[in-house]
Amino acid sequence: MRKLIAFDDDTFDKLTQLGRDRMATIQELADEAFADLLKKHGIPVDLKDALRKSAALSKTAAPKQTRSETPRKAPSKAPRKSRS
């Protein structure tokens, strides 16, 4: 998918120079920048990251409570109807 992004002249010149220094294209710099942004916000970049995050969540999930450990509900205090 293609999207058009505008840069001011100074930023574009700096990105171009960084690309030359690292022998990378603007596209490669953009891919790295967006991957870092997604990682910063906890969004998996690819399937491998998504599976890793899912596995980590399942390991840290609280263990299920057994029936004896679950809190009991207090008896209802609604008035009872008398049978006549």
Side-chain angles (χ1 to χ4, degrees):
M1 178 183 303
R2 292 182 180 265
K3 295 291 179 182
L4 182 64
I5 299 174
F7 296 106
D8 60 80
D9 290 337
D10 188 44
T11 301
F12 183 74
D13 291 341
K14 289 177 181 177
L15 287 172
T16 303
Q17 186 59 46
L18 179 62
R20 286 184 192 134
D21 294 345
R22 294 182 51 192
M23 296 180 17
T25 64
I26 297 288
Q27 181 64 52
E28 291 168 336
L29 296 175
D31 290 344
E32 180 182 346
F34 286 119
D36 289 346
L37 181 65
L38 293 172
K39 184 177 179 181
K40 173 184 171 184
H41 290 281
I43 300 170
V45 177
D46 56 10
L47 178 60
K48 188 175 182 178
D49 287 340
L51 292 173
R52 189 177 296 126
K53 184 175 182 179
S54 176
L57 288 176
S58 65
K59 286 181 182 178
T60 60
K64 293 181 180 180
Q65 292 181 339
T66 62
R67 185 169 173 88
S68 62
E69 294 174 346
T70 57
R72 296 182 181 251
K73 291 173 68 177
S76 175
K77 297 195 178 203
R80 295 184 177 205
K81 293 183 181 179
S82 61
R83 292 187 180 179
S84 302

